[in-house]
Every structure is written in structure tokens, then in C-alpha cells.
Amino acid sequence: MMSYDELLEAVRRQFPGSFVQQAGERPKLRIRRLRLASQALIARLAQAGVDIEVQGGLPTNDALVEAAAGLSAETAHALGIGLPPLPAHPKCRPLAAALGMDLAVADLVVDRLWVASLAHGRGGRYLYLDCKLGHALRGLQLALPGNEWTGLDRRRATVSWARQHVEGATFGLLPEQPPVDAPDRSFDGVIAVEAFLGSLSSESLQAWLGEIGRLVKPGGFAMLAVNGYARLIQSAALGLESVAELGRAYQALVASGRAELNNRGKPISLYGPPCLAAAMFGGDWLVDPPAIGAGPNRRDLYFAQRRVSFTSHAPPIEIAGSVEAAKTTPVGTGFGLTRAVRVHLSRLRATSTSSAPPIEIAGSVEDAKTTPVGARFGLKKAVLVAEAGSITRRAPLMIDDRAVAPDLRAVLASCLLRMRTDFPDQYLLRFTDAAVVGEGSVVLFDGRRHWLLADSAREFLKPDMVPKGMAVGSSRGTFIMPGHVSRTIDGCCLLLQRPWSENFGHWLVDQAAALSFLVESGALPTRHIIVTKTARLGLRQVIRQTIDAILPDAIVYEHDIGEVWRCRDLAYLMPVHVPPLFKLPAALQSLRKHLLPPPSSLSEATPPTRRLHVLRSKGGSRRLVNEAEILEISARYGFETIVPETHSVREQARIFGEAESIVGVKGAALTNIIFAPPSCRVMVLSPGDFIDPFYWNIAGTHHAHYAELFGALAQEDRATSHNDFTIDPIRFDAALQRILAA
């Protein structure tokens, strides 16, 4: 037996994202209404100079009807909102009759696609089942232009009318039983949110669900509305069922996804996730939790996406051997070589009295390690520590970039399309009489001039910046460094210091990963290590804790960026991290081995269960203005808050290693996702001007599920990526549901 309050609370616990509850109030269904299709209509009306009365941020339906009625036929047609009056139809909404389109259903569909980041594309092919007169399709055409729409309906008269009056869409009869006259996987999306599915028998519903699954392409979606939990709650509220019947129906829905109700003598079939999953959503689907009561007439709304598969039936290809000389000899032309570009060392002036123009050297770091050119710059040894290879990344599960400026959005998209990164052989180089300047910049001497090792300052040189610790020279490409040498180190010393070294994330990825990799591979030439000297006590402790965990007997030298050090024997490892999308997988894996608890102390039978909401330190930049509201939402889904900097390095690794899901504002603390298991789900919250793919690169390389939600800037008076921002709570809730369903 189950009372109404007990039923409501049980469903709320099962689907927390579908409910909202204020203190002391009974839970209420959360029906999200962004009304994006309505906003598209408002934009069209604004083009005609129409003023519309607004209440609560958007016009009322009556205001829209009144505005449309005042347009001339020519203006309405020019705006794409004019249709002949709809024929008499008992279920035609007044707004649909006045505008020639059903914005209520169009809003529902477009809002859901917007949450899934699918509302921006063009050239898609979509099927709408039970389309009636086509008025919902008209709203979808308005909000999602440039796509191909097909509507099917069971009534010949409505199909005939729609064919005559609704342009840009194809209409046909919906058969009583499947199949639809269309090839397998021929639609980018199938929408069935009208009463159609709710009117079917159980057997017919099963058949139609299978048919919908047949029609959707890989990467496409299905959106369905069926009678389910919301209808059960409604029956309980109206007292249409006994408490015993309510309890039986609820238990049946949970167990099998199927239940029956006797609504005033008329049986109603109810459906839940288990039934739908068995009929349609197999292992190649990502199914979001249902939005209880969000569909028309309080039906439960389901949304699922078919995974993209990369299967191939081509036979395997035998590789005859490897080619090493293709880049420098005519042999290369036989393998499709079209161009080979030499990467030069950047010239560095030793004193301000020299005014010679920049000189290109016939050798780069790569050439110097394998040819006599290297001897000119003091190279005495080059050890191959990792062979050339490639990195493949899992595609992001969801990127919501609506708060990103259009120009930045294009840059972000180009990064996110790069699922593979190739990298060359990685070497450990040994130089005699090399200088260390600024944040780990290496300066070499050829007997006459000083030269900057490009790899050591690439993060500065690529955006045409001056490396720290140096000044601009008299001509382009030249620099000035201090002439005074503050310290000389005679023995072999490993340089770990890198650009941006006073950042926890860069310390882990650039320097700690490099040290752990050399220790793991057995290539470490010395226990003497150069790191950055920082005034930040917390970071200094992190550096010391990390080195103690990886190389307990290390002798550490702290280099100030304002000093020039001379190293008689400098060990230099080619960077294991090069922004934006190269992080040596073997280096990250070795860091995990050194900092995570040993496997014997972890229970392999117990999967990770912790849900972490990572907080940034107070008083810093990039503040989430409405953090309290966002934390309240994540707490409903079982997330605990954590401030990583209050834990030791090993403790941070352990905590993130136990994580099932991680949410947090983009920042250094999230670099700890290195230690998360591959099954972990990561969602990053970012201001709209901070598009760095740093964290997707880590998660994607680790093959974890990754989502990123960009928020609107609260102000724009700080440097890029440092502005405070807000996150739309509705979008956050929906994105959280999606990532948790992955």
C-alpha cells in the first residue's frame, strides 16, 4: 500500500532531477520551459518592428497571437510564419491556429535538443510521428532551419492538408503497424511526443519502439513521450486509484517498466525505463533519465542518443617495415612526402651591444640530437626514452558552448575535432655548459653566440611572447638575458622547471609526470633536480610531497626566475606536455603509479562510487557567482564537496581515484582527474572566454566520459579566463543528468 505522499517521495528519490522542492514544501514536478522556438518567433517579429508585451522575460501566448494577428499577409509570409487558417480540429491549440504553428510542442523538442547540444546543426534529417496538421513541424522549421523534416500521421485528411499548405516538409501516412517506408538508420532523429505512443497496446508499443530504434542513425537521437510515473502521480492526486493499487503499479513500473491503471473504467498502460530499454535501447544507446511529466499532457519524456560506431569490414593490412629516412632523402617521395619543415633554434643575444640580425641554424632540437650539428651546442648525449606514437582521445559526451563568443567557438570546435595526436621520438638530452633562465628556458652557446632552445620556451615563443627572465632584443627574434651568473652547478642536474611552473596543474602534468616517467623507465641520470622557486607555501609543499613520493632521496635545487644558472652537465627531457593537445600517455600513467595507492590496497570488487564537486579556493579569480545554487543541485544527485588543496598530494590522488563522477569549475585542482578511473564521468564548468581543451585532453586520453558547460561572464574587466561567470541552473541540471546516465 502506498499513499500519495509516499508515492511522490518514492518517485522523487528515483528521479531527483525531475522535481524541485523548497523547504517545507511538497515536491513538485520540475517542468523546464526555455521556449527556444518561441524565442525564434520573437526574433522574426522583431525584424518586422513588432512590439510585444512581455511578462516574466518572455511574451505570453496571448501576446504572440495578438502580434501575429496584426501582421499583413505579405509580412507574415515574408517572415515565414504565415499559413492559411487551420481546418477545424478538436485538439488544435489556439496559438497553433493563430500562428499556423504549434510552439508548445516545438518549444519542448527544441529545448531538449538544446540541452543535448544538438540544436545548432544544419543538414539533418528528422522524422516526426503523429504530426497531425504539421503545425509542430512549422515551429521546428522556424527554430531549426536548414534541416529536412518528414511528418507521418494516421489521418488522410490531415496529411492531405499539410502537403498542400506546409512548405519545406514531406508528409505521409503513418501505418497502423511498422515498418515505416524508410531504410535502416536513415534519420538523424525520431520524435514521438504526441499521444500516438500512449494510445497503443503493449504489443504495438513494443513493435513501434523497435522500429524507432531501427530508423535512427549512429549519433542520432530519439525523443519519446509515454504514460508513466507522472500519470501515476496524477491518478493518485485525483484519488482515482486505491492506495493498494497505487503501490502495486509503482512496484511493477520499477521492476519491469510496465503497469496497468483502471482510469474511470478505461485501462491505461504505463511504461518505465526497463520496458523501453528492453524494446529499443540496447548497448549502443546513451539513455538520459526520464523527465517525469515533461511531455505533452504530463507524459514522461525520454531522450536517447545512439552511439557512433567505428566498425570496419576491410581486411587487415600487413605493414612491411618502418621508414626512418623519409624526411630527408628522395625516399620520402615514394611514401607521399609533400613537405618537410625544419624547426630552428631561436637566436638569443648575449649582450645588448650586439645588433646582428637573427641567424637561422641548420639544426633544431631534433636534428641536434642525431647529427654533428648538436656538438656545436654542447650536446654530448641523446637517449631515446619513448618511441614516436599517437594519442587517441574519446570524443566529448557533451559540449554546451552557447555562452562562447562565435569566433572562440570556431577555435574550440577545431580542437575538439582532433581525436588523434601524433608525437615524435622523445629524447633525454645532455648538454655541457648550458644556462637556465626564467621559467626553465635553456640557453646554449656555440662558441660565438648564445641560442635559445626552442622546446624549453615553446609556450612563450608560439604566441610571440618574451620568455620570462628575458627582455626584447634590438631586432625581431632576439632577446637579452642577464649577463651575471648567480650559480654554477658542476655535477649532472635534471631540469624539471617549465613555463607556468607556479601552477599546480602544470606542476603535475609538465614536471611531476616527467620525473615519474624517467624513474619508471630507468632513464633518470641523476638525483639532482632543478625546480622552480616559489613564494607560495602551499605549492612548495606540493612540490616537495610529490618528489618525496617519486624519488625520496632527490637533492632539490630551487631556481629563481630572475637568476641565471650555469650547469656544467644539464639533463633536459623533451617536454611531456605541449599545449594544447599533447600529453605523453606513458608519463601520465607513471604518475598514477607513483601517487595512487598500490592495487593491493584497493578493493577490485568494489567499483568507484564517490561523486565529487570540486571547489576552488576562496578569493581567487574565475569565481562561479551562483555557486550556492549549483551546489544545491549537485547535492541532490549525491555529490560531496571537496577542496583539494586542503589535502596532501597522495590524499588528492586517492580521493579522485575513488570517484565515479567529478564536477567542478575549470582550474588547476581539476588536473587531479589524471588519477580518476577510466570509467569516471567528468563535467567542467567554464567561463565563456576560457576554451582551453586541457581537461578534455586528460579525460579523453584516459577514455573517460567528458562534458563541458560554458557560462555567461559576470564581468569582462579581467584578463581572458579570469572573469567571474554564472551557470544556468536548468542547463546544469540537464547536463548533470546526461553525464550521470553515460
Side-chain angles (χ1 to χ4, degrees):
M1 298 178 65
M2 180 173 284
S3 67
Y4 168 65
D5 285 335
E6 291 171 335
L7 172 65
L8 190 62
E9 179 60 24
V11 178
R12 186 193 67 80
R13 287 198 305 268
Q14 190 176 356
F15 306 106
S18 291
F19 290 81
V20 62
Q21 184 176 9
Q22 302 296 332
E25 289 186 357
R26 176 180 285 169
K28 299 176 183 177
L29 286 174
R30 181 198 298 273
I31 309 299
R32 301 173 183 83
R33 291 290 183 261
L34 305 177
R35 297 181 63 192
L36 296 177
S38 295
Q39 293 185 46
L41 174 61
I42 294 166
R44 292 286 182 92
L45 293 173
Q47 294 175 17
V50 178
D51 292 326
I52 305 173
E53 178 186 351
V54 175
Q55 292 184 6
L58 282 176
T60 63
N61 286 349
D62 289 341
L64 287 174
V65 171
E66 182 180 351
L71 297 175
S72 66
E74 294 78 10
T75 302
H77 188 270
L79 293 176
I81 62 173
L83 271 182
L86 296 178
H89 196 282
K91 294 186 178 180
C92 183
R93 299 176 180 90
L95 186 61
L99 300 177
M101 63 182 68
D102 190 338
L103 287 178
V105 175
D107 279 337
L108 170 72
V109 174
V110 180
D111 287 359
R112 190 59 190 81
L113 292 179
W114 182 78
V115 169
S117 298
L118 295 174
H120 307 294
R122 291 174 178 262
R125 189 164 182 254
Y126 302 102
L127 175 64
Y128 194 103
L129 301 180
D130 198 16
C131 69
K132 298 183 175 63
L133 296 166
H135 41 255
L137 283 186
R138 287 282 291 154
L140 291 170
Q141 286 177 318
L142 178 72
L144 304 174
N147 295 292
E148 180 183 337
W149 295 92
T150 298
L152 301 181
D153 194 78
R154 291 170 289 182
R155 293 167 288 275
R156 291 183 180 274
T158 55
V159 170
S160 176
W161 189 93
R163 283 173 174 169
Q164 292 179 10
H165 300 294
V166 180
E167 299 176 358
T170 303
F171 294 91
L173 281 173
L174 181 66
E176 291 295 328
Q177 293 293 332
V180 169
D181 185 15
D184 292 357
R185 303 189 175 191
S186 55
F187 291 97
D188 294 282
V190 175
I191 301 164
V193 298
E194 303 283 359
F196 168 59
L197 294 180
S199 65
L200 299 176
S201 66
S202 176
E203 293 74 15
S204 294
L205 177 65
Q206 299 286 322
W208 274 108
L209 290 176
E211 177 68 357
I212 291 171
R214 178 185 75 83
L215 294 170
V216 178
K217 296 178 182 179
F221 71 88
M223 189 182 304
L224 318 173
V226 298
N227 291 322
Y229 286 95
R231 193 61 182 266
L232 184 64
I233 292 172
Q234 184 181 43
S235 295
L238 298 175
L240 301 178
E241 303 291 339
S242 67
V243 291
E245 184 63 24
L246 288 174
R248 283 193 296 269
Y250 174 76
Q251 295 299 330
L253 272 180
V254 173
S256 66
R258 170 82 190 282
E260 296 286 339
L261 280 183
N262 185 6
N263 186 9
R264 296 189 177 96
K266 180 182 178 181
I268 297 178
S269 296
L270 307 180
Y271 299 95
C275 176
L276 300 181
M280 174 183 169
F281 302 131
D284 62 341
W285 286 84
L286 292 170
V287 186
D288 287 358
I292 306 302
N297 296 322
R298 289 298 178 92
R299 286 186 286 271
D300 296 347
L301 190 67
Y302 288 81
F303 185 87
Q305 281 186 269
R306 170 163 261 148
R307 300 176 190 267
V308 178
S309 58
F310 298 95
T311 57
S312 173
H313 301 290
I317 299 174
E318 181 177 355
I319 298 175
S322 62
V323 179
E324 295 184 357
K327 66 178 179 294
T328 56
T329 72
V331 174
T333 58
F335 297 91
L337 180 68
T338 60
R339 188 180 184 192
V341 180
R342 200 182 286 275
V343 182
H344 298 282
L345 293 171
S346 300
R347 184 170 178 273
L348 171 66
R349 287 204 315 132
T351 69
S352 58
T353 60
S354 173
S355 58
I359 299 175
E360 290 189 345
I361 300 298
S364 65
V365 172
E366 289 80 2
D367 290 20
K369 66 180 174 288
T370 56
T371 69
V373 174
R376 289 177 52 190
F377 300 98
L379 179 71
K380 68 176 187 177
K381 189 175 184 182
V383 179
L384 179 66
V385 292
E387 294 183 345
S390 62
I391 305 166
T392 57
R393 286 174 284 273
R394 168 177 255 170
L397 179 66
M398 187 205 77
I399 301 292
D400 186 338
D401 61 359
R402 280 160 290 184
V404 178
D407 55 335
L408 292 179
R409 192 179 301 162
V411 176
L412 175 64
S414 67
C415 286
L416 298 178
L417 290 173
R418 295 168 61 183
M419 302 300 169
R420 171 177 169 146
T421 298
D422 297 323
F423 59 90
D425 290 339
Q426 302 293 301
Y427 284 84
L428 176 67
L429 309 177
R430 298 276 293 275
F431 293 101
T432 57
D433 285 328
V436 177
V437 186
E439 281 195 315
S441 295
V442 176
V443 178
L444 307 174
F445 186 64
D446 68 351
R448 293 189 307 152
R449 299 183 182 92
H450 291 78
W451 302 85
L452 175 62
L453 188 62
D455 262 352
S456 68
R458 191 180 303 276
E459 289 86 340
F460 297 110
L461 298 178
K462 189 173 182 180
D464 204 20
M465 297 169 59
V466 178
K468 289 188 178 181
M470 302 183 188
V472 179
S474 59
S475 59
R476 182 174 176 81
T478 65
F479 304 96
I480 298 172
M481 74 173 186
H484 173 69
V485 175
S486 302
R487 182 171 187 173
T488 298
I489 301 177
D490 292 323
C492 179
C493 199
L494 172 68
L495 178 64
L496 285 185
Q497 191 179 27
R498 292 282 302 157
W500 322 129
S501 55
E502 288 202 69
N503 174 281
F504 172 79
H506 283 280
W507 162 252
L508 281 184
V509 171
D510 296 347
Q511 298 155 82
L515 178 62
S516 63
F517 172 66
L518 290 176
V519 171
E520 180 79 8
S521 63
L524 184 72
T526 177
R527 295 184 297 111
H528 297 254
I529 299 169
I530 298 176
V531 300
T532 193
K533 183 178 182 180
T534 175
R536 297 170 55 192
L537 179 59
L539 180 61
R540 195 174 186 183
Q541 291 175 339
V542 163
I543 292 172
R544 188 71 255 183
Q545 291 171 5
T546 311
I547 294 175
D548 287 345
I550 299 171
L551 190 65
D553 59 346
I555 300 172
V556 179
Y557 302 85
E558 296 181 319
H559 173 248
D560 190 297
I561 65 173
E563 296 181 347
V564 176
W565 286 12
R566 182 183 182 187
C567 299
R568 303 285 190 188
D569 184 358
L570 181 69
Y572 173 82
L573 178 65
M574 292 175 59
V576 297
H577 167 225
V578 179
L581 291 174
F582 169 64
K583 296 177 179 66
L584 187 65
L588 297 184
Q589 186 60 31
S590 64
L591 185 62
R592 286 173 53 85
K593 289 181 181 179
H594 278 106
L595 294 185
L596 280 172
S600 59
S601 67
L602 297 174
S603 175
E604 297 181 355
T606 304
T609 57
R610 297 181 73 170
R611 294 182 173 182
L612 307 178
H613 193 132
V614 182
L615 302 181
R616 286 173 60 78
S617 59
K618 299 296 183 182
S621 63
R622 206 177 313 127
R623 184 174 60 92
L624 180 58
V625 176
N626 61 333
E627 184 178 70
E629 187 176 16
I630 297 302
L631 287 174
E632 181 180 355
I633 295 172
S634 66
R636 292 204 300 266
Y637 292 90
F639 281 79
E640 60 179 295
T641 58
I642 174 178
V643 182
E645 65 189 27
T646 62
H647 301 269
S648 70
V649 172
R650 279 193 180 277
E651 287 171 345
Q652 291 181 51
R654 176 186 59 78
I655 291 169
F656 278 75
E658 298 170 348
E660 169 212 85
S661 303
I662 299 169
V663 173
V665 172
K666 183 181 285 182
L670 279 181
T671 312
N672 281 301
I673 62 176
I674 292 171
F675 308 111
S679 60
C680 186
R681 295 160 293 196
V682 179
M683 185 163 75
V684 176
L685 310 177
S686 303
D689 64 347
F690 193 14
I691 61 171
D692 188 354
F694 184 92
Y695 299 95
W696 169 60
N697 189 23
I698 296 175
T701 303
H702 202 36
H703 293 281
H705 288 292
Y706 182 87
E708 189 161 356
L709 182 60
F710 290 89
L713 301 184
Q715 91 287 330
E716 299 184 49
D717 56 355
R718 297 180 184 174
T720 299
S721 81
H722 291 276
N723 288 299
D724 296 344
F725 68 111
T726 61
I727 289 290
D728 187 314
I730 295 177
R731 287 163 51 198
F732 174 73
D733 196 327
L736 198 57
Q737 290 186 55
R738 186 170 181 200
I739 193 74
L740 292 177

